Amino acid sequence: MNPEGASWPTVGLDVEGLRRIGWQPLPFVEYVMKIHSRCNLACDYCYVYEMADQSWRDQPKNMDDQVFTDSCKTIAEHARRFALPAVNLVMHGGEPLLVGHEKLEYFARSARELLEPITKVRLGIQTNGVLIDKEFLRICDRWGIQVGVSLDGDRKANDRHRKYRRGTGSFDDVAKGLGQLIGGDHRHLYSGLLCTVDVENDPIETYEALVQFGPPALDFLLPHGNWTTPPPAKTADATTTPYADWLIPIFDRWYSAPEVETRVRLFDVVIKLLLGRNASTEAVGLAPVRLAVFETDGTLEQVDELKSAFAGATKIEQAATGNPLDEALWDPHVIARQIGIEALSDTCRACPLHNVCGGGHYVHRYREGTGFRNPSIYCADLVKLIRHIESSIRADITSAAVG
């Protein structure tokens, strides 16, 4: 039985009721293009290849030129209809650089030619870094593609999970690729590093190893898991906080540094939300998620982290006519990620931190049988981390007032 068939938001979210009261979804402004569906690494925590949804096996390896063009035209129509001033388009995989130099240049050129007459386009690519070379960087420079790289720390930390299929680690090749990116004339293309948290690694050593590569920003990603399939280090005792205990030393090291070493997206957003400002990230907060994914066959789907929940979790019912992006705005799963507090469980709504935490990442709320209207599997970790950051900010504000 498909567990999604009888769980929230497929069942229980009153879409017609929202229509009646005049609620309107916000258009998509972020797009992930899965230009290659395979990878040259075999990371054992990968939500695409190692978890519940194995639909990657049915996808073409490469996105066809015509599929990419058609997808851009779909985005262009959506942008025109909603008068979007700008959109973000990130080329992703698998490993996107496996498409090769020629295809990457075609995709970048096509995206700009098809979209820029209608809206400003910010192009990006998220790569494991092992294939970065001078020609890729030339293409990225010519077409203004910002480059994000996935790296989990020093050699020992990174190679614990981020290995080639033959079992050897990827750190040396990633470091070589990063060296080309941050050296010479290409540093302006560098958008930052993405690190998946492993509590078996030393947090300070991990942070300092990442900072050695001079990232303009760091993203710490909690391993994708949920109440049905818990992430590593989470046990039946929901009060344990191994991930907060790992992140808090990094926060203290980052926050107390005499000079700003890098931006840490999770910490930045939590601080802004605690101060009552607007901030946007999938990990925390109540800001509407406005992201759509085009698979290599052109299928429109939700954010691919949902593949960690169950097979088919990313699927959007395809409309027979009309722009698929326009129609997808009324999919219950898309709506659930745009209605803020109304999507939270009663437990979350009663919590004084709900405006900051936002229930945590939507993916981490899943429980078979009830769906996504639950607290995050990381609830205790998020509370401890947010309270710690709040205490640090309050101490600084008090000190400044006294001074």
Side-chain angles (χ1 to χ4, degrees):
M1 185 183 79
N2 179 0
E4 176 57 16
S7 60
W8 195 89
T10 301
V11 174
L13 178 60
D14 186 1
V15 176
E16 291 307 313
L18 289 170
R19 288 182 185 269
R20 284 194 299 272
I21 64 173
W23 181 85
Q24 290 290 324
L26 296 172
F28 298 109
V29 293
E30 297 184 63
Y31 301 94
V32 171
M33 291 288 211
K34 295 281 190 170
I35 60 175
H36 201 286
S37 67
R38 304 297 192 267
C39 193
N40 49 357
L41 297 185
C43 307
D44 57 17
Y45 55 58
C46 183
Y47 55 86
V48 174
Y49 302 109
E50 303 296 334
M51 301 189 79
D53 191 319
Q54 292 292 297
S55 57
W56 64 271
R57 300 176 184 275
D58 300 322
Q59 288 291 334
K61 288 184 179 180
N62 286 305
M63 179 175 277
D64 180 82
D65 292 356
Q66 190 61 52
V67 170
F68 187 90
T69 298
D70 290 344
S71 300
C72 285
K73 289 178 179 177
T74 298
I75 295 170
E77 291 171 1
H78 188 70
R80 182 184 291 111
R81 177 183 175 186
F82 290 98
L84 300 178
V87 298
N88 297 325
L89 192 154
V90 178
M91 289 175 277
H92 213 287
E95 169 48 45
L97 295 188
L98 284 171
V99 299
H101 302 124
E102 185 177 342
K103 266 193 171 292
L104 180 65
E105 182 137 36
Y106 173 82
F107 291 153
R109 181 177 66 250
S110 298
R112 294 221 175 270
E113 289 176 352
L114 292 167
L115 293 171
E116 289 200 323
I118 297 160
T119 184
K120 180 179 179 181
V121 182
R122 292 183 285 261
L123 290 179
I125 195 165
Q126 184 66 35
T127 173
N128 59 36
V130 303
L131 293 177
I132 293 175
D133 61 19
K134 290 181 179 179
E135 180 62 10
F136 277 123
L137 292 174
R138 181 198 67 78
I139 294 166
C140 291
D141 197 16
R142 179 177 182 183
W143 298 104
I145 305 172
Q146 292 290 297
V147 181
V149 178
S150 298
L151 182 70
D152 286 351
D154 59 17
R155 180 179 288 102
K156 180 181 177 181
N158 183 81
D159 290 353
R160 187 190 299 272
H161 301 287
R162 302 188 64 80
K163 303 175 185 288
Y164 289 101
R165 297 194 181 280
R166 61 182 179 270
T168 57
S170 62
F171 178 85
D172 289 339
D173 290 334
V174 181
K176 181 180 178 181
L178 274 167
Q180 295 188 70
L181 174 62
I182 64 182
D185 300 326
H186 299 299
R187 188 177 180 86
H188 64 286
L189 302 173
Y190 188 20
S191 63
L193 296 175
L194 174 64
C195 172
T196 298
V197 174
D198 181 348
V199 297
E200 296 299 316
N201 295 327
D202 182 270
I204 300 302
E205 289 179 4
T206 299
Y207 172 76
E208 292 183 343
L210 295 171
V211 168
Q212 287 298 309
F213 289 99
L218 284 178
D219 243 344
F220 287 107
L221 178 69
L222 294 174
H224 290 311
N226 53 66
W227 293 103
T228 300
T229 309
K234 294 299 286 185
T235 68
D237 182 358
T239 64
T240 60
T241 58
Y243 290 91
D245 297 339
W246 195 89
L247 287 166
I248 285 171
I250 295 178
F251 172 80
D252 290 341
R253 165 71 172 74
W254 171 80
Y255 190 70
S256 62
E259 296 182 357
V260 176
E261 296 170 309
T262 185
R263 291 184 294 109
V264 178
R265 187 180 182 197
L266 176 61
F267 301 157
D268 281 342
V269 171
V270 169
I271 290 170
K272 288 177 182 177
L273 291 169
L274 284 167
L275 295 174
R277 301 175 187 168
N278 293 325
S280 178
T281 176
E282 285 195 84
V284 291
L286 292 170
V289 173
R290 304 171 64 182
L291 183 149
V293 177
F294 287 91
E295 284 286 354
T296 51
D297 65 355
T299 303
L300 181 66
E301 295 198 345
Q302 300 171 72
V303 64
D304 57 354
E305 289 100 328
L306 284 164
K307 293 179 185 291
S308 65
F310 59 88
T314 60
K315 299 299 182 185
I316 293 175
E317 187 174 344
Q318 301 295 300
T321 60
N323 185 298
L325 288 168
D326 298 352
E327 300 299 323
L329 291 175
W330 289 100
D331 184 282
H333 288 275
V334 173
I335 293 172
R337 306 194 73 185
Q338 291 204 7
I339 56 176
I341 190 173
E342 298 302 322
L344 300 186
S345 67
D346 291 342
T347 301
C348 292
R349 293 173 70 144
C351 175
L353 293 179
H354 72 258
N355 285 328
V356 178
C357 171
H361 199 306
Y362 184 80
V363 173
H364 302 157
R365 304 177 205 171
Y366 177 72
R367 187 191 294 271
E368 185 174 356
T370 61
F372 293 92
R373 204 168 197 180
N374 303 290
S376 169
I377 185 70
Y378 291 107
C379 177
D381 296 279
L382 292 170
V383 169
K384 186 172 184 178
L385 176 64
I386 292 168
R387 289 296 190 199
H388 181 83
I389 294 174
E390 183 180 40
S391 295
S392 299
I393 296 171
R394 286 187 184 279
D396 265 4
I397 292 173
T398 300
S399 176
V402 170

